[in-house]
Amino acid sequence: MIFKKAGMTAVEEKSAIIILGASGDLARRKLIPALSVLREQNLITPDSIIVGEGRSEFTDEEFRDRFSTCCEFREQLFYHQGIDGLRDYISSKGEFSKIIAFLSLPPASYASTIKRLYNEGFRDEVNIVIEKPFGRDYESAHELNESIHRFYSEKQIFRSDHYLAKEAVQNILIFRFANSIFEASWNSNYIESIQINAFESIGVEERGGYFDHAGSIRDMVQNHLLQMLCLTTMDPPVSLDPEDIKNQKINILKAIEIEEVSRGRYSGYLDEKDVAPDSDTETWAEMKLKINNHRWAGTPVYIRTGKALDRKGTEIGLRFKKRPHALYNPPEGTAPNEIIFKVQPSEGIVLQLTGKNPGMDLQLARTDMAFCYSNSFNEDIPEAYQKLLLDALRGDHTLFVSAEETELAWKKLNGITNRGELTPYEKGSVPESVFGDIWINFENYVDIC
Ligand code: BG6
């Protein structure tokens, strides 16, 4: 179980890891390097095999040459052209107690590929990993889930959201539920607002074709931002069983109501490669939500995400309410406390406090208490795909998204995507907020950690 242990537990059985669409970018940039690290750390066995599948014709040697791998691990890589005959090919390599099939393919081919895997003879022994996007609205997500479930049980399906595998995101639950000092104030009596940022400095780059059909709301809010919000606000699960964690996230997704949305688009977006000249796609989204439950009624949630902004940074901030009586600094009182989860580029948790400036006079100053990964731990932070691949092999669903969660998240966004004006903003800048001066000054925390 991920949340119980430090480090990663090895998969001791001989496994076969199939990458469908192995000549693509994801296999080269993320999957093969992640598997190579898992092998190096003995987290998968030396007799496990990694089989790339694709339409192109490669010999094993040609396939191996595509990656900068060496030695033993290189010998564990194989290639098979096409899905036909793939089951027999795997059997010809030996008996494997674990098989995972990672679909590194265009989402439009998920349903047909899964059917083909089933017809090829992959049955209960296989776990299937699918990358987002799962559908583009509630109806298509529901249809996709139904067609998957015709062949495989939900237990065999691992919908990845790589944000859940980020160390600092996993730490949200530990921070909240392994420490007793926060829980009492983690509610609308004490928290004035919850704010989530996922800023990117890059534009759409080579992914204009995909992104132009999605936009920031579908691409980031439906999955990464809502998942982070669930972890930040859910009630404690009764156990660390993935099912119990999932149920608490579902309760939040059910309670969410989107109140306001504004969209923006960076200058020059229409000139990006593979973007439609009459595109109505947003590269920036800002939203106000509420959570209609006992704990959070009355605490607004603000989220914003975008591309081509002034910096890359993902943060979750909770701003506390001010003291009811302004003992210091009357009449306005001292600045509210803030807790910031720094997810990236550097990981940490910062608590903003007010203290006394040293000196004879009573002068107050804002100060921080910071827990920074870089100061506290020597271990390298594992890359998200290492964790996701290992967990799919172990059959652990904690960091994956269930059919119900993904459908609920889409349901909440129905009618919101592609709605409203697109406000232009300059590349490299952050659009002015439509909510005015409510935002935590996240820039203050950038250099801490
Ligand atoms: C992906 C989105 O899910 O997340 C991309 O499709 C986005 O558009 C990426 O760039 C951001 O991930 P990270 O880990 O770089 O924050």
Side-chain angles (χ1 to χ4, degrees):
M1 272 298 312
I2 291 81
F3 292 117
K4 284 181 195 160
K5 296 180 188 146
M8 297 202 216
T9 316
V11 174
E12 272 150 20
E13 295 101 326
K14 185 175 165 186
S15 316
I17 298 138
I18 306 167
I19 301 173
L20 295 128
S23 51
D25 202 37
L26 187 70
R28 191 179 49 77
R29 278 191 312 113
K30 300 281 186 186
L31 302 178
I32 300 289
L35 288 163
S36 159
V37 174
L38 293 180
R39 179 63 215 107
E40 232 166 73
Q41 298 178 347
N42 266 322
L43 293 166
I44 50 177
T45 61
D47 54 3
S48 293
I49 59 167
I50 291 127
V51 179
E53 181 277 345
R55 276 186 298 193
S56 321
E57 204 180 318
F58 293 121
T59 62
D60 289 340
E61 283 308 314
E62 283 165 345
F63 181 62
R64 291 167 182 169
D65 287 344
R66 296 173 64 82
F67 312 104
S68 48
T69 56
C70 86
C71 327
E72 234 189 6
F73 178 73
R74 184 182 156 90
E75 302 302 310
Q76 291 179 259
L77 294 180
F78 300 91
Y79 185 79
H80 186 269
Q81 189 181 11
I83 295 179
D84 292 346
L86 187 56
R87 186 68 189 86
D88 287 345
Y89 177 78
I90 300 284
S91 301
S92 74
K93 298 278 174 203
E95 278 288 304
F96 299 94
S97 34
K98 305 256 176 174
I99 301 181
I100 63 169
F102 195 111
L103 270 56
S104 175
L105 297 168
S109 62
Y110 287 167
S112 58
T113 305
I114 284 173
K115 183 175 173 190
R116 287 184 68 196
L117 286 174
Y118 185 85
N119 290 340
E120 246 308 293
F122 291 98
R123 296 292 150 86
D124 294 348
E125 73 285 15
V126 72
N127 286 343
I128 298 175
V129 187
I130 324 175
E131 282 277 290
K132 63 168 270 279
F134 319 110
R136 51 176 286 109
D137 51 24
Y138 167 70
E139 287 74 21
S140 54
H142 181 68
E143 199 177 301
L144 178 59
N145 283 329
E146 287 215 313
S147 56
I148 292 174
H149 291 153
R150 249 176 249 140
F151 303 103
Y152 294 103
S153 69
E154 179 66 8
K155 213 171 84 220
Q156 292 173 272
I157 305 300
F158 292 76
R159 294 173 196 77
S160 90
D161 180 318
H162 76 285
Y163 268 56
L164 290 179
K166 290 184 190 278
E167 272 297 325
V169 172
Q170 291 175 62
N171 205 10
I172 297 171
L173 291 193
I174 321 276
F175 179 80
R176 291 189 52 207
F177 301 138
N179 298 297
S180 49
I181 52 175
F182 301 106
E183 178 60 13
S185 56
W186 219 255
N187 55 56
S188 60
N189 293 333
Y190 293 92
I191 305 292
E192 182 194 87
S193 67
I194 299 169
Q195 311 191 1
I196 306 182
N197 276 340
F199 283 12
E200 290 186 85
S201 48
I202 54 170
V204 291
E205 310 222 301
E206 293 303 308
R207 295 171 71 235
Y210 153 74
F211 189 85
D212 200 42
H213 286 99
S216 297
I217 298 177
R218 287 191 172 92
D219 186 46
M220 296 290 290
V221 176
Q222 189 271 346
N223 35 74
H224 309 321
L225 276 93
L226 290 186
Q227 284 289 326
M228 288 194 285
L229 178 60
C230 285
L231 297 177
T232 307
T233 57
M234 68 187 229
D235 278 348
V238 289
S239 81
L240 293 180
D241 189 292
E243 192 66 16
D244 290 329
I245 295 176
K246 177 193 89 178
N247 288 338
Q248 297 297 32
K249 289 198 280 169
I250 284 175
N251 285 339
I252 293 295
L253 288 167
K254 283 183 182 160
I256 283 174
E257 183 185 333
I258 297 174
E259 290 196 300
E260 280 179 63
V261 182
S262 99
R263 304 191 305 139
R265 180 170 73 196
Y266 65 79
S267 52
Y269 174 74
L270 293 181
D271 302 326
E272 299 277 20
K273 193 168 146 229
D274 300 327
V275 165
D278 58 349
S279 168
D280 177 45
T281 300
E282 76 281 349
T283 62
W284 163 261
E286 197 182 22
M287 290 187 188
K288 182 178 181 198
L289 298 82
K290 56 183 181 179
I291 303 175
N292 294 319
N293 69 10
H294 194 89
R295 188 192 279 263
W296 294 113
T299 298
V301 177
Y302 299 98
I303 61 183
R304 52 185 181 169
T305 182
K307 292 197 184 285
L309 305 178
D310 62 345
R311 67 184 175 96
K312 168 137 182 117
T314 304
E315 300 102 11
I316 303 166
L318 284 88
R319 176 178 273 167
F320 285 72
K321 290 184 172 168
K322 281 190 171 184
R323 305 292 308 146
H325 171 61
L327 193 55
Y328 297 102
N329 248 6
E332 67 270 22
T334 49
N337 297 120
E338 290 165 0
I339 287 184
I340 311 295
F341 292 89
K342 285 169 62 77
V343 173
Q344 59 186 15
S346 56
E347 295 85 357
I349 297 170
V350 184
L351 175 59
Q352 167 120 72
L353 303 163
T354 297
K356 181 184 172 300
N357 240 357
M360 299 304 155
D361 296 327
L362 182 61
Q363 272 190 1
L364 304 182
R366 298 203 80 179
T367 178
D368 305 302
M369 272 171 65
F371 147 58
C372 300
Y373 281 59
S374 53
N375 299 339
S376 303
F377 303 119
N378 291 327
E379 289 88 356
D380 285 340
I381 293 186
E383 214 278 321
Y385 279 95
Q386 294 167 25
K387 188 118 186 91
L388 292 173
L389 285 160
L390 197 66
D391 285 351
L393 274 169
R394 293 193 294 213
D396 187 328
H397 274 94
T398 313
L399 302 184
F400 294 88
V401 182
S402 65
E404 199 177 349
E405 284 167 81
T406 197
E407 288 184 23
L408 261 173
W410 279 123
K411 234 181 208 169
K412 297 291 165 167
L413 296 178
N414 263 5
I416 301 263
T417 43
N418 301 91
R419 197 184 69 188
E421 289 288 290
L422 275 178
T423 311
Y425 63 95
E426 283 304 311
K427 241 179 161 165
S429 72
V430 178
E432 202 176 312
S433 173
V434 290
F435 303 124
D437 194 17
I438 53 91
W439 288 99
I440 290 173
N441 199 351
F442 285 99
E443 285 70 25
N444 286 345
Y445 300 98
V446 167
D447 293 332
I448 304 177
C449 299

